């Protein structure tokens, strides 16, 4: 299964043993498809977890990149089969705040709905998922309390802590997404469905 990841830096949350973890980002086409595939395992009751990563780590929106478009062409058909229509985006925004709300959604038991809502906002509707108005709209659509979401987005300390956690993840080799992790071992996410399920059952 490949070499184990290096020791984790201090402050990086420990992951439960035996849980398949998907590290993902909203604006990565391959990661979007991986989210849909791993969510099917979660819906089947298998032990999986999702960890958002602002893969670009920049504070401003960037133009759409050629690698992003190439990935989109590769995965759009399969994503459509799994319920996500993917259209050509107009920009590549930072995703830190979307993942910040995603942490809150996970604690509220709405993580799956939030992830799908963000993917549809960005890939289907062409929305800027760095825009707080967009995030509030997604939150309302999945049933999150708007006041709580506002508090999350206004919490500078929580944002800085999440940014530090993401930097720590990069330090152990989680840079590009999607990446699978099982007991500290990092694996590519483009495995077939049978292998993906087997990893979730380890």
């Amino acid at each position: 299964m490949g070499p184990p990841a290096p020791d984790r830096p201090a402050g990086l949350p420990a992951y439960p043993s035996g849980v398949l973890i998907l590290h993902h980002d909203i604006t990565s086409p391959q990661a979007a498809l991986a989210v849909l595939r791993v969510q099917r395992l979660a819906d089947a009751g298998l032990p999986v977890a999702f960890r958002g990563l602002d893969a670009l780590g920049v504070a401003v929106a960037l133009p759409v990149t050629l690698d992003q478009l190439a990935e989109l062409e590769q995965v759009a058909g399969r994503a459509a089969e799994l319920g996500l229509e993917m259209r050509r985006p107009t920009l590549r925004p930072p995703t830190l705040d979307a993942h910040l709300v995603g942490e809150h959604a996970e604690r509220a038991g709405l993580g799956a709905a939030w992830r799908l809502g963000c993917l549809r906002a960005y890939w289907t509707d062409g929305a800027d998922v760095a825009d707080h108005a967009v995030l509030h709209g997604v939150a309302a659509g999945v049933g999150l309390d708007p006041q709580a979401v506002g508090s999350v987005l206004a919490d500078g300390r929580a944002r800085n802590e999440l940014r530090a956690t993401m930097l720590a993840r990069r330090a152990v080799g989680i840079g590009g997404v999607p990446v699978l992790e099982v007991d500290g071992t990092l694996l590519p996410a483009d495995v077939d469905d049978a292998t993906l399920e087997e990893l979730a059952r380890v």
Side-chain angles (χ1 to χ4, degrees):
M1 291 176 65
D7 291 339
R8 298 185 182 284
L12 186 63
Y15 300 131
S17 175
V19 172
L20 175 66
I21 299 163
L22 172 65
H23 299 272
H24 65 95
D25 199 9
I26 298 162
T27 61
S28 161
Q30 290 182 351
L33 176 59
V35 166
L36 299 174
R37 296 178 65 212
V38 174
Q39 185 59 50
R40 295 176 73 189
L41 301 179
D43 293 342
L46 294 178
V48 301
F50 299 82
R51 297 290 181 267
L53 179 73
D54 186 355
L56 295 181
V58 297
V60 296
L62 299 177
V64 175
T65 57
L66 292 177
D67 65 314
Q68 193 182 17
L69 295 178
E71 285 185 20
L72 174 59
E73 185 174 350
Q74 292 171 3
V75 308
R78 181 72 196 283
E81 293 174 1
L82 297 177
L84 176 65
E85 181 181 358
M86 301 182 75
R87 299 171 178 156
R88 178 173 174 148
T90 58
L91 76 167
R92 192 164 191 170
T95 56
L96 178 65
D97 284 359
H99 292 309
L100 183 64
V101 179
E103 298 275 323
H104 167 71
E106 199 70 47
R107 293 190 294 269
L110 293 170
W114 173 258
R115 286 186 293 274
L116 182 57
C118 284
L119 291 177
R120 284 177 172 162
Y122 180 70
W123 287 108
T124 305
D125 302 333
D128 179 356
V129 290
D131 187 321
H132 285 192
V134 170
L135 297 180
H136 275 286
V138 175
V142 303
L144 286 170
D145 177 76
Q147 186 172 355
V149 172
S151 296
V152 168
L153 290 171
D155 191 340
R157 179 177 178 179
R159 181 178 291 105
N160 289 337
E161 288 176 351
L162 182 57
R163 183 181 290 111
T165 297
M166 290 180 177
L167 288 173
R169 289 174 186 160
R170 291 189 182 97
V172 297
I174 304 168
V177 291
V179 173
L180 298 174
E181 181 179 358
V182 181
D183 288 340
T185 298
L186 304 180
L187 304 163
D190 58 348
V191 296
D192 60 44
D193 288 344
T195 301
L196 188 63
E197 182 173 345
E198 182 180 351
L199 289 171
R201 295 183 182 278
V202 170

